[in-house]
Amino acid sequence: MSKKFWEKLPQGSVVLEAGSSAKFKTGGWRAMRPKWIEENCIQCMFCWMYCPDMSVRVNAEGKREDFNYEYCKGCGICALECPGKKGVKAIVMEEEGK
Ligand code: SF4
Ligand code: SF4
């Protein structure tokens, strides 16, 4: 039996392999880059919770570490949500490549 036209189209938007998103290094999309200022960080982990790309690293002790720039797209949500220490932000956004 011959296939219908739509059955001959190549598959798209189908994830055929679990965990394949790790292969897409989305950091190359970034125009703005978050910078972590450790001395202003109170370890509240808001940045970790809000980041849509899991780009805030956390170590084995549960402490925040620097960003994973291979995946960070530079959306700035972490900087917006960061309360910082006494109102002084622990994340600032800078132009990429400066
Ligand atoms: S800029 Fe966006 S993608 Fe990058 S670490 Fe912050 S919240 Fe995540
Ligand atoms: S949101 Fe700001 S203060 Fe909280 S852990 Fe992240 S960088 Fe530190």
Side-chain angles (χ1 to χ4, degrees):
M1 193 166 104
S2 66
K3 288 186 174 180
K4 294 184 180 111
F5 172 73
W6 64 268
E7 290 175 316
K8 295 176 190 167
L9 294 172
Q11 288 185 336
S13 304
V14 177
V15 178
L16 301 171
E17 179 192 341
S20 60
S21 63
K23 293 179 184 168
F24 294 103
K25 304 287 172 78
T26 50
W29 303 1
R30 201 172 49 242
M32 299 295 286
R33 183 185 185 89
K35 179 182 172 189
W36 183 41
I37 304 163
E38 190 171 359
E39 59 267 29
N40 295 338
C41 179
I42 58 171
Q43 295 288 335
C44 67
M45 306 307 282
F46 278 14
C47 52
W48 177 83
M49 284 189 286
Y50 280 99
C51 176
D53 292 301
M54 303 294 287
S55 299
V56 177
R57 294 184 206 263
V58 178
N59 66 22
E61 287 77 46
K63 299 282 185 189
R64 187 207 196 287
E65 293 190 338
D66 207 356
F67 293 103
N68 183 340
Y69 290 110
E70 287 191 329
Y71 297 100
C72 166
K73 297 192 196 92
C75 67
I77 294 172
C78 55
L80 183 72
E81 298 296 337
C82 174
K85 189 187 283 181
K86 296 181 181 169
V88 181
K89 295 269 187 188
I91 303 172
V92 293
M93 299 302 289
E94 297 180 332
E95 208 171 313
E96 183 71 26
K98 284 223 165 175

